[in-house]
Amino acid sequence: MKIITNNKIVKKEIKYIVILFLITGFLIPQISLGQAWGGRKTKAGFWDNWAINLNGGLTSFYGDLSKFDSEIMEKLTKESGPAFGGILTKHIVNNKIGISGQLLYGNLQGENTSSNLTFEASFIEYNIHARFNLVNLISNKHMPKFGFELYGGVGQFMFKSTRYNVQLSEVYTEDTGTPEFVYFFGAGISYKVIDKLGITMDIAMRQAQNDKLDDYARNDNFDYYTYINIGVTYHIESVFKSNGRSSNSRYRAPGRLPMRRRR
């Protein structure tokens, strides 16, 4: 059995880069706080209107070692693998636009019967993207329960792919040691079950700037993969809640007169 391995060692520091990327992606100075009677905020600040989404589904491969590109059921059952991820979103412009960071782990598989080749791969992706809620953009109703979103962004991913030649009993492995570039776009729907909890369903196409996801570069076209999933979203109105008092002691509620001291 012949084994060919490229870039076996993936440095542990890359895991910390993933976390750092997601954190720093949101540290954008968008703080705009307002204050009115009783200390209530008139404008949403940076720590207001966040959402956390956890999702799971299937990632499907499209490339040299795929043959069910036009057959949906065979693609999902024979050339797809389980995947799960998380999305952290900061909503802006009255919840019409969101800036999000995502961490995704998925699995891929495919085959080419004419060449007696099959492959399996796993990958981890981190990205930043913008989300546009079309319902809120075109509707006068504030924060309706139903939403339809379009989104797109850029990111990086690392993968490990193992290709098998059944006829020759050969195994080839491609293990990236550095992140590869990816860009993507997608669409999804959402529905708020209760005030802070909603369910989502979406699909996205991700174009990899790499032709070795299946460890088989036959053409000059890059491989790509899709992610279809369902998820649960928890909406956070404010990370740091106000205590309801104004920081300016000179303001008093309307209709109340100051108490006079008795002599």
Side-chain angles (χ1 to χ4, degrees):
M1 180 179 293
K2 181 180 179 182
I3 301 177
I4 300 177
T5 305
N6 296 323
N7 299 326
K8 284 186 176 180
I9 301 176
V10 177
K11 296 181 179 180
K12 293 183 179 180
E13 287 80 4
I14 293 178
K15 296 180 180 179
Y16 297 101
I17 294 176
V18 174
I19 300 174
L20 182 61
F21 183 90
L22 292 177
I23 294 175
T24 56
F26 298 107
L27 298 182
I28 305 172
Q30 299 178 5
I31 302 177
S32 57
L33 300 176
Q35 193 171 10
W37 295 103
R40 295 181 181 178
K41 293 182 291 185
T42 58
K43 294 183 180 180
F46 178 75
W47 298 110
D48 300 326
N49 299 331
W50 289 78
I52 300 175
N53 177 270
L54 299 178
N55 50 77
L58 294 173
T59 43
S60 304
F61 174 76
Y62 294 82
D64 295 323
L65 295 186
S66 65
K67 65 176 183 177
F68 298 113
D69 294 352
S70 59
E71 302 173 24
I72 298 178
M73 293 306 300
E74 285 79 4
K75 171 64 67 176
L76 295 177
T77 57
K78 298 180 180 180
E79 293 183 350
S80 302
F84 58 90
I87 303 174
L88 180 62
T89 301
K90 161 63 179 172
H91 293 288
I92 58 178
V93 194
N94 295 325
N95 295 304
K96 297 177 181 179
I97 301 175
I99 305 299
S100 303
Q102 182 181 28
L103 183 63
L104 172 65
Y105 175 83
N107 295 273
L108 304 169
Q109 60 178 331
E111 63 178 319
N112 187 320
T113 53
S114 60
S115 303
N116 296 310
L117 298 176
T118 64
F119 90 98
E120 296 177 349
S122 61
F123 70 90
I124 184 170
E125 175 194 313
Y126 52 95
N127 65 68
I128 186 169
H129 60 276
R131 310 181 73 92
F132 302 89
N133 191 325
L134 299 186
V135 175
N136 282 352
L137 284 171
I138 64 177
S139 174
N140 293 326
K141 185 178 179 182
H142 180 62
M143 293 182 64
K145 288 186 175 181
F146 177 79
F148 177 75
E149 292 185 329
L150 296 178
Y151 58 91
V154 296
Q156 292 182 315
F157 73 101
M158 295 171 290
F159 69 92
K160 180 178 181 179
S161 178
T162 303
R163 176 167 55 94
Y164 306 92
N165 189 316
V166 180
Q167 185 177 10
L168 301 178
S169 299
E170 294 179 343
V171 180
Y172 303 86
T173 301
E174 177 72 19
D175 195 348
T176 58
T178 57
E180 304 286 343
F181 182 76
V182 63
Y183 65 88
F184 62 96
F185 60 89
I189 58 175
S190 61
Y191 181 78
K192 265 194 173 183
V193 181
I194 56 177
D195 184 43
K196 293 185 178 182
L197 194 66
I199 56 176
T200 61
M201 177 181 296
D202 67 84
I203 182 172
M205 193 279 288
R206 312 173 112 81
Q207 178 67 68
Q209 299 301 292
N210 188 294
D211 193 27
K212 288 191 175 182
L213 271 173
D214 52 5
D215 194 29
Y216 186 67
R218 185 177 60 180
N219 301 317
D220 294 331
N221 299 327
F222 291 142
D223 299 328
Y224 65 97
Y225 53 99
T226 59
Y227 180 42
I228 181 171
N229 68 88
I230 57 175
V232 177
T233 299
Y234 181 75
H235 297 273
I236 304 173
E237 182 178 351
S238 180
V239 177
F240 301 106
K241 294 183 179 180
S242 172
N243 58 9
R245 296 181 180 179
S246 172
S247 59
N248 194 331
S249 60
R250 292 181 299 174
Y251 293 141
R252 297 181 183 274
R256 295 185 62 181
L257 298 176
M259 297 180 62
R260 296 182 177 178
R261 295 182 179 179
R262 295 182 180 179
R263 295 183 179 179

